[in-house]
Amino acid sequence: MTRGLTFRPHHFLCALGYRGKGYSDSFTANMTAIVTNGLMANGGDHTLIRVRKAADSLCAPCPKRRDEGCTNQAEIDALDARHAAALDLHNGQVLTWGQAKMRIRQRVQPDDLDTLCSGCKWLELGLCKTALADLHRGA
């Protein structure tokens, strides 16, 4: 499941905020396997993740995926650029989930998501802001 795990820059915060919702049943099952049963499980902080500027492990079953891209690629590129800058992530970089969470905690506040995630349909649900606030509280 987590072998060869890759994330687009914006997916680090998506994984943090994931709460069982997705674009399709297969997408949700994949996210649950990677995030809930992998990263959030005991020992998940040691999971290695390679930053990728194309479709990644979370994108695999997404109905919007088109080869290495997305049906709304311009929006995804903009999200990735903002998140890569905020988190100082570079294509090909490898870090653990624990290191990623530390970087998120040091560099991003919940209200920053209004700008970082502008245009994301999941932002209005407040799941990511809640998860980020929990991370800052040490929960």
Side-chain angles (χ1 to χ4, degrees):
M1 164 192 46
T2 55
R3 186 176 193 165
L5 197 59
T6 59
F7 275 9
R8 302 184 73 103
H10 80 272
H11 279 163
F12 285 90
L13 280 161
C14 293
L16 184 69
Y18 178 68
R19 297 298 181 269
K21 299 183 183 300
Y23 297 105
S24 68
D25 290 344
S26 60
F27 179 87
T28 303
N30 184 59
M31 279 286 281
T32 298
I34 291 171
V35 177
T36 306
N37 301 335
L39 299 178
M40 301 305 178
N42 188 28
D45 279 355
H46 301 290
T47 302
L48 293 174
I49 305 168
R50 180 176 302 277
V51 179
R52 188 163 197 271
K53 285 189 174 181
D56 63 12
S57 299
L58 298 180
C59 298
C62 185
K64 295 182 175 196
R65 181 177 177 173
R66 298 297 180 265
D67 192 28
E68 293 296 309
C70 184
T71 57
N72 54 334
Q73 192 60 45
E75 179 183 318
I76 297 303
D77 288 342
L79 276 172
D80 280 341
R82 289 191 302 269
H83 286 230
L87 297 173
D88 191 26
L89 296 173
H90 308 282
N91 194 44
Q93 180 178 5
V94 177
L95 61 162
T96 67
W97 177 239
Q99 290 169 325
K101 289 191 305 184
M102 183 183 315
R103 192 174 287 214
I104 292 167
R105 186 175 30 240
Q106 291 170 342
R107 296 172 173 262
V108 182
Q109 296 297 316
D111 286 340
D112 295 342
L113 300 185
D114 293 330
T115 301
L116 280 177
C117 303
S118 177
C120 176
K121 74 178 239 172
W122 302 103
L123 181 62
E124 65 191 46
L125 298 178
L127 302 173
C128 297
K129 280 189 176 185
T130 299
L132 186 53
D134 289 346
L135 181 68
H136 280 278
R137 282 194 304 273

